[in-house]
Structure formats: structure tokens, C-alpha cells
Amino acid sequence: MEGNAQQRDQSWDDAAAQLEEYPPSVKLVAKVLDIHGELGQQAIIEETLLPSRTVRHAVSLLDENGHLNSRHCWKDARKRLYSLELDQIETEQQSIAQ
């Protein structure tokens, strides 16, 4: 279990380096998604205590740059569920290093 936590911390450190250029609100949304996994926009708002407009902006920035995975919620098709795409970030860093 401890190894998994260390691996997750390392993954977040790698992601944080990739997200360094973004505003603090985007980093907060990314960290909340990293901790909780998949969340809807309302849940992100409740967890971060950020205004809805700020969360929408953060989600769009992360999505535009390929750091976010989104899908429709099967319970309510009007809503989307978001998750952080850490594998994408790690893959980009590995390809840059080579």
C-alpha cells in the first residue's frame, strides 16, 4: 500500500511539473481530480469551493490541453464526469526525454 502511495505522489509530482504554467485554480482542480478520481462539475465546485465560472474555465483549459478525460454521466446525460489524465502527462514526458 505504501508503494502505491509513493507511486501516486511521484505521478502527481510529474503532473505538477507539467501543470506549472497554469493558474492556481487549474492546479487545484487537477489536484482534486487526482485525489477523488472521477467527478462532475458540481462536485468539483463543492470540493474546491471555487466559483462555477472558475471551475468551468479550469476544466476547459485542462481539456483543451489534453490533461482531462471526460464522459457523459449515464444517470443524467446532461452532465459530464471528468478525470485527470495522468498517463497522458507521463507519456508526453517520456517522449520528450527520449
Side-chain angles (χ1 to χ4, degrees), residues 8 11-12 14-16 18-19 29-35 37-38 59 62-71 81-93:
R8 185 179 192 101
S11 293
W12 175 251
D14 294 342
Q18 184 75 19
L19 299 173
V29 169
K31 183 63 178 176
V32 166
L33 288 171
D34 182 50
I35 292 169
E38 195 172 60
V59 165
L62 288 169
D63 191 33
E64 287 171 5
N65 294 299
H67 303 306
L68 203 62
N69 186 20
S70 66
R71 68 175 182 87
L81 296 175
Y82 302 99
S83 60
L84 193 60
E85 190 69 39
L86 287 176
D87 294 333
Q88 175 75 21
I89 294 169
E90 291 172 12
T91 304
E92 286 175 8
Q93 287 180 343

Side-chain angles (χ1 to χ4, degrees), residues 25-45:
S25 58
V26 176
K27 293 175 192 172
L28 178 60
V29 169
K31 183 63 178 176
V32 166
L33 288 171
D34 182 50
I35 292 169
H36 294 284
E38 195 172 60
L39 292 175
Q41 202 171 70
Q42 189 60 41
I44 296 170
I45 292 166

